[in-house]
Amino acid sequence: MAGNDHASLVDVFGLLKDDHGRLLLMKRAGDIPGSGQWALPSGKLEAGESLPQAVRRELHEELGVTCDPGDLAFNGVAHVRPPGGEPRIGFSFVVTRWHGVPAVLEPDLCDALGWFPPGQLPADTFLYTRLIMGPHLGGQNFSIWGWS
């Protein structure tokens, strides 16, 4: 088989939710899609990882926080095909308990952190973030965008 035209990259997203119901967003920086926009902590699933393992790894790498597997609750899925980009499937998990204080650990990819109520996200929130947040924005736990 020469290739798989139906393959999609798999992303994971962590929705850190504080005691006030606010969600942690990161301001994307550098030469990445959505630079200058607010987004959830996220990353690609690596070979041999489960989705929860990937979320926990990304939260540790990007923010320096750790959480137990039981602290992850499934939130939603988004299947997107951005213009000029590769198709992606994102899985998001809500995290209401973690250890450590979130901090910017990858300043070349993120230059700020902010806590926002789900209904009051910044106007410059990355579209993929809005899609994957689904239930927190009054939507469904499955979103599809960019497919004809």
Side-chain angles (χ1 to χ4, degrees):
M1 194 156 123
N4 185 349
D5 293 335
H6 302 288
S8 295
L9 294 172
V10 176
D11 299 314
V12 294
F13 296 81
L15 284 78
L16 268 68
K17 190 173 183 181
D18 72 7
D19 294 339
H20 305 289
R22 299 175 304 174
L23 299 170
L24 181 69
L25 296 181
M26 307 170 70
K27 188 96 174 215
R28 296 171 67 93
D31 188 24
I32 59 174
S35 185
Q37 296 181 326
W38 291 95
L40 292 166
S42 63
K44 293 183 186 89
L45 180 71
E46 293 183 357
E49 281 185 318
S50 69
L51 294 170
Q53 288 171 331
V55 172
R56 293 173 64 224
R57 175 184 51 77
E58 288 293 341
L59 292 174
H60 187 258
E61 289 176 0
E62 294 182 1
L63 300 171
V65 300
T66 59
C67 63
D68 297 325
D71 294 333
L72 299 176
F74 175 75
N75 178 70
V77 176
H79 194 193
V80 302
R81 187 164 71 179
E86 296 183 74
R88 313 180 84 83
I89 298 174
F91 295 86
S92 63
F93 295 83
V94 175
V95 184
T96 55
R97 291 187 316 174
W98 59 87
H99 310 283
V101 177
V104 174
L105 296 185
E106 296 178 329
D108 54 324
L109 301 176
C110 166
D111 58 15
L113 299 177
W115 291 96
F116 301 93
Q120 298 175 11
L121 298 181
D124 57 347
T125 298
F126 196 42
L127 176 60
Y128 199 3
T129 291
R130 289 184 184 278
L131 292 171
I132 200 71
M133 290 176 71
H136 286 285
L137 301 179
Q140 302 297 315
N141 61 0
F142 175 72
S143 298
I144 190 161
W145 181 80
W147 299 91
S148 55

